[in-house]
């Protein structure tokens, strides 16, 4: 099998030189401010790499325009993930927003959700997942497309619990320069520049984004009962060592951050496209645990993470065929990650690095108006220096050790997808994906079946079956040196986690300005990778990552959106999930989904005011009880948060844009600590009243 895949790859690369179907779709011009709120989305491309309506897409697709994101007061794409993606909740598992993760349908998604920028993967490819920092200004976004559930048949490995594609505007649509400045509570400052222009056959788009706070949230001032110095000092003994504060400076209690993103896209009428994205984020090393071990010198707690992504894309089209060829390069680097060595009373600064390149070909042939075939072939090579602990990858790194502990991961992927319009009302998609890798023994096979039935002109029913897989993290495969018999023995025989998903999705239109969607789903994850203790391991090892059975999640989701009098738009969504996991050490069934809320609800209301010059947006988020990921029985408290935002529209000014927002207007503690003596589980509250003011100007 490997021989045939290799030959196929060489053949396609030689003949076609053509990659991932182009995900950037031409924009539309807003004719009135009402359209900003009530325009129906014409097409999406994320579900099958071609333009189609949401109803025709063979997946459960959510889409929102950049203009609507701005009307809701979003300051970056980060806000969309935290607030309004259906089926998604945001969990700050150690208090600091920088270290939070989205949870989709009961599955923690730090490494399981694939994020694309105009079809280019921007998440770290070596296993560390996507860093959820503020990036990409809303003003330059055409739309964001999101699929809840696995989609490995089209997007390959680690598209496990969802796929999100951020589509930027074309330079022709931007047609000028826009500058925005923001200031908010906790010393939050943000600035963005978005430029676009069509000159001859070249379309140019450029965005520069900066979001930072030198001080950040003063946890001691906000929560004196939790972040008192007496509380900290009572917990300075950990692992038999005493840890002191940084000369009693206030920095011990501040949460700072610094995010920078630069993206440029050049596209030629001939189908050639060049992309480059630079992202750098700096944040406190571990967050806001109550344990004092995380509060030392600020230079030790700053983590700097830098990512470079570059892509060359070429699209070709014929009468009945189209092809896209892609080459992508990525360089990712994390420095000064803080790790505490048990029993030594010392801290080490570790580094981790990834260098990756991807060559990909996708080819579509239209046999007729009712039948098309999409094939894909890709080769990816990742060279990774994982954070392995001890002195092997601590900073500064010995050159010999640095080279000795590099890990090379190679992936060869082939996919096939056949779309058949059976009748005027029934369409099917049959697909399969194969992946071969040096990181596991057997070839991974993921099937896909989608059937869509237009029951009536207003109702569409989708039956969706598919899967995903998560490749083993390099840290799990390699040995990690830690003191006190806690070292982790590398496991070279780990298998990928595999997910099988079943879903029934129904879309029903209630007239021209209202729509309901509902989904029922079931997921089964096999070969779940868990860290287990094993006293039989040779010294100094005491733990090892292993495949530990199954995890089951089941649930339902519903959404409703409608508009009234061309002045009001309302949306709401509800989700519930339940299931069980397998305890790593005992193998017993455990009725809990760590970091997942059993229920959540979201609602938003847009109202145009004062001759449509202003847009008022009110948003509510309600989260039920959730389980911690730590060995305590107490669940985390649920919470409710109300946000309000007021934004000017084009009727106010075509050049000046103003926006003021208040998050958590009732200043509630959004997440109370559970009652436990286990200090690692003492979560701090993570949301309090927060305001922002933004002004923009279009040149």
């Amino acid at each position: 099998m490997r021989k045939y895949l290799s030959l196929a790859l060489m053949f396609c690369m030689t003949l076609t030189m053509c990659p991932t179907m182009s995900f950037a779709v031409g924009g539309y011009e807003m004719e009135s401010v009402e359209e900003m709120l009530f325009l129906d989305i014409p097409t999406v491309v994320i579900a099958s790499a071609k333009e189609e309506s949401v109803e025709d897409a063979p997946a459960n697709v959510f889409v929102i325009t950049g203009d609507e994101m701005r009307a809701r007061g979003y300051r970056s794409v980060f806000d969309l993930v935290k607030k309004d993606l259906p089926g998604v909740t945001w969990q700050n598992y150690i208090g600091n927003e920088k270290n939070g993760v989205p949870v989709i349908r009961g599955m923690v998604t730090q490494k399981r959700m694939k994020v694309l920028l105009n079809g280019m993967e921007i998440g770290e490819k070596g296993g560390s997942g996507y860093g959820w920092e503020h990036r990409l200004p809303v003003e330059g976004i055409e739309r964001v497309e999101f699929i809840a559930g696995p989609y490995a048949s089209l997007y390959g490995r680690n598209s496990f619990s969802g796929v999100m594609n951020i589509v930027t505007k074309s330079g022709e649509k931007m047609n000028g320069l826009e500058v925005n400045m923001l200031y908010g509570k906790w010393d939050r400052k943000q600035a963005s520049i978005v430029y676009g222009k069509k000159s001859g056959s070249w379309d140019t788009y450029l965005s520069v984004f900066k979001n930072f706070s030198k001080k950040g949230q003063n946890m001691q001032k906000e929560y004196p009962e939790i972040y008192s110095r007496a509380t900290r000092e009572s917990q300075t003994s950990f692992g038999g060592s005493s840890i002191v504060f940084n000369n009693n400076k206030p920095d011990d209690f501040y949460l700072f951050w610094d995010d920078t993103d630069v993206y440029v896209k050049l596209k030629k009428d001939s189908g050639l496209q060049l992309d480059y994205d630079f992202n750098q984020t700096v944040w406190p090393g571990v967050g806001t645990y109550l344990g004092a071990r995380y509060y030392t010198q600020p230079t030790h707690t700053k983590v700097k993470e830098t990512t470079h992504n570059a892509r060359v894309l070429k699209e070709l089209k014929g009468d009945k065929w189209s092809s896209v060829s892609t080459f992508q390069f990525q360089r990712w680097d994390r420095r000064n990650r803080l790790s505490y060595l048990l029993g030594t009373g010392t801290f080490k600064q570790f580094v981790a690095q990834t260098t990756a390149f991807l060559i990909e070909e996708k080819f579509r042939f239209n046999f007729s108006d009712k039948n098309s075939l999409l094939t894909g072939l890709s080769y990816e090579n990742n060279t990774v220096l994982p954070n392995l602990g001890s002195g092997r990858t601590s900073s500064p790194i010995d050159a010999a050790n640095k080279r000795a502990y590099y890990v090379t991961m190679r992936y060869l992927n082939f996919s096939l997808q056949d779309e058949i319009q059976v009748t005027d009302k029934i369409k099917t998609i049959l697909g399969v994906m194969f992946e071969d890798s040096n990181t596991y023994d057997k070839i991974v096979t993921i099937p896909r079946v989608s059937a869509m039935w237009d029951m009536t002109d207003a109702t569409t029913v989708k039956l969706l079956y598919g899967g995903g897989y998560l490749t083993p993290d390099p840290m799990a495969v390699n040995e990690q040196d830690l003191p006190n018999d806690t070292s982790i023995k590398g496991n070279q025989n780990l298998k990928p986690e595999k997910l099988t998903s079943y879903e029934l999705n129904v879309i029903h239109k209630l007239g021209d300005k209202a729509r309901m969607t509902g989904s029922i789903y079931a997921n089964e994850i096999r070969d779940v990778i868990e860290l287990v203790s094993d006293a039989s391991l040779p010294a100094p090892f005491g733990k090892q990552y292993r495949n530990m059975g199954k995890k089951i999640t089941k649930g339902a989701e519903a959404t409703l959106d409608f508009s009234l009098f061309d002045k009001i738009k309302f949306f709401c969504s509800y989700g519930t999930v339940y299931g069980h996991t397998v305890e790593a050490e005992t193998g017993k069934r455990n009725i809990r989904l760590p970091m997942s809320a059993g229920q959540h609800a979201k609602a938003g209301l847009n109202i145009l005011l004062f001759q449509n010059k202003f847009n008022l947006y009110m948003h509510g988020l309600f989260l039920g009880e959730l389980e911690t990921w730590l060995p305590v029985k107490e669940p985390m408290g649920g919470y409710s948060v109300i946000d309000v935002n007021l934004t000017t529209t084009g009727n106010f000014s075509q050049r000046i844009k103003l926006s003021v927002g208040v998050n958590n207007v009732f200043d509630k503690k959004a997440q109370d600590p559970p009652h436990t003596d286990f200090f690692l589980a003492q979560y701090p509250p993570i949301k309090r009243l927060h305001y922002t003011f933004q002004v923009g100007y279009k040149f």
Side-chain angles (χ1 to χ4, degrees), residues 98-344:
K98 301 298 297 182
N99 289 336
V101 294
V103 179
I104 304 177
R105 296 179 170 181
M107 295 178 286
V108 181
T109 61
Q110 179 68 5
K111 304 176 184 179
R112 295 173 172 85
M113 178 177 171
K114 185 159 287 190
V115 181
L116 311 172
L117 176 57
N118 291 320
M120 176 178 68
E121 183 180 359
I122 55 178
E124 190 271 323
K125 291 177 175 290
S128 293
Y130 179 78
W132 292 100
E133 62 274 358
H134 293 280
R135 67 193 298 177
L136 300 171
V138 171
E139 294 74 22
I141 293 175
E142 177 71 20
R143 68 180 180 278
V144 176
E145 306 167 345
F146 173 71
I147 293 177
Y151 229 78
S153 59
L154 188 61
Y155 293 102
R157 64 189 181 91
N158 301 346
S159 52
F160 196 85
S161 57
V163 181
M164 184 169 70
N165 184 37
I166 305 164
V167 181
T168 61
K169 295 178 180 179
S170 65
E172 184 176 14
K173 183 174 183 179
M174 281 298 304
N175 193 33
L177 175 69
E178 183 170 338
V179 178
N180 284 271
M181 305 290 289
L182 175 146
Y183 178 79
K185 189 179 177 182
W186 300 327
D187 193 43
R188 177 179 175 181
K189 301 179 180 69
Q190 179 175 302
S192 67
I193 299 173
V194 182
Y195 170 79
K197 192 73 175 178
K198 180 70 180 291
S199 179
S201 61
W202 283 97
D203 186 277
T204 303
Y205 172 89
L206 169 68
S207 67
V208 180
F209 183 84
K210 182 78 170 179
N211 181 288
F212 68 97
S213 172
K214 293 183 178 180
K215 292 183 177 180
Q217 184 179 3
N218 186 334
M219 302 302 288
Q220 188 180 35
K221 181 179 179 181
E222 294 283 340
Y223 307 103
E225 71 281 9
I226 298 177
Y227 289 90
S228 67
R229 188 160 301 281
T231 301
R232 291 290 188 183
E233 291 177 347
S234 68
Q235 298 173 2
T236 56
S237 179
F238 182 74
S241 304
S242 179
I243 307 168
V244 297
F245 289 98
N246 178 32
N247 298 322
N248 293 329
K249 291 182 179 179
D251 299 41
D252 292 324
F253 299 96
Y254 279 104
L255 291 178
F256 57 86
W257 69 85
D258 189 347
D259 302 328
T260 305
D261 191 89
V262 179
Y263 174 65
V264 59
K265 177 184 67 175
L266 303 174
K267 188 172 183 179
K268 197 172 184 181
D269 292 342
S270 62
L272 177 66
Q273 182 171 318
L274 308 176
D275 301 80
Y276 173 72
D277 180 62
F278 166 81
N279 182 263
Q280 180 174 277
T281 179
V282 182
W283 76 96
V286 191
T288 58
Y289 280 136
L290 294 185
R293 66 191 181 110
Y294 293 118
Y295 291 82
T296 57
Q297 298 178 18
T299 56
H300 285 179
T301 59
K302 288 183 180 179
V303 176
K304 179 183 290 187
E305 190 170 292
T306 304
T307 309
H308 301 266
N309 280 294
R311 180 180 68 168
V312 179
L313 181 148
K314 175 64 176 178
E315 183 177 6
L316 299 174
K317 292 183 179 180
D319 292 337
K320 291 189 174 183
W321 61 273
S322 61
S323 67
V324 185
S325 303
T326 300
F327 175 80
Q328 181 184 349
F329 173 82
Q330 180 185 93
R331 172 71 179 193
W332 175 85
D333 184 275
R334 176 188 287 168
R335 295 188 176 274
N336 294 345
R337 176 171 180 172
L338 179 67
S339 291
Y340 176 68
L341 301 186
L342 294 173
T344 66

Side-chain angles (χ1 to χ4, degrees), residues 427-448:
K427 181 173 70 172
T428 64
I429 295 224
L430 305 175
V432 65
M433 184 225 68
F434 304 97
E435 182 168 276
D436 190 14
S437 175
N438 66 325
T439 61
Y440 34 84
D441 294 335
K442 296 182 179 180
I443 292 176
V444 176
T445 303
I446 302 292
R448 179 190 179 198

Side-chain angles (χ1 to χ4, degrees), residues 439-595:
T439 61
Y440 34 84
D441 294 335
K442 296 182 179 180
I443 292 176
V444 176
T445 303
I446 302 292
R448 179 190 179 198
V449 179
S450 300
M452 283 141 290
W453 175 30
D454 294 328
M455 183 182 297
T456 66
D457 291 340
T459 305
T460 301
V461 179
K462 303 180 184 181
L463 298 175
L464 309 172
Y465 165 78
Y469 61 104
L470 176 71
T471 57
D473 192 304
M475 290 180 61
V477 175
N478 291 272
E479 296 176 356
Q480 301 180 47
D481 291 343
L482 297 169
N484 292 355
D485 296 325
T486 59
S487 292
I488 299 174
K489 177 69 175 176
N491 188 349
Q492 302 288 335
N493 299 315
L494 280 176
K495 295 180 289 185
E497 290 186 7
K498 295 184 70 174
L499 168 65
T500 301
S501 177
Y502 307 86
E503 182 173 358
L504 170 64
N505 178 241
V506 179
I507 302 174
H508 180 67
K509 294 182 179 179
L510 302 169
D512 295 333
K513 295 185 178 181
R515 179 166 55 187
M516 296 177 58
T517 64
S519 291
I520 302 174
Y521 62 86
N523 299 318
E524 180 184 83
I525 307 173
R526 302 180 302 280
D527 297 321
V528 176
I529 299 175
E530 297 279 0
L531 180 63
V532 299
S533 298
D534 187 349
S536 66
L537 291 171
F541 302 106
K543 297 181 180 181
Q544 188 177 46
Y545 285 94
R546 295 175 183 171
N547 295 108
M548 294 298 297
K550 298 180 180 180
K551 176 179 180 180
I552 306 294
T553 69
K554 300 177 182 179
E557 297 163 359
T559 64
L560 168 67
D561 60 271
F562 63 86
S563 60
L564 295 173
F565 317 118
D566 291 336
K567 295 283 187 179
I568 299 173
K569 182 174 182 181
F570 173 80
F571 85 90
C572 63
S573 67
Y574 172 79
T576 180
V577 61
Y578 66 96
H580 67 269
T581 60
V582 177
E583 291 185 0
E585 297 188 8
T586 65
K588 294 181 180 179
R589 178 169 169 157
N590 190 357
I591 311 299
R592 65 197 295 259
L593 297 173
M595 296 180 62

Side-chain angles (χ1 to χ4, degrees), residues 340-352:
Y340 176 68
L341 301 186
L342 294 173
T344 66
T346 61
F347 291 82
K348 287 271 189 177
Q349 298 179 46
F350 296 114
V351 302

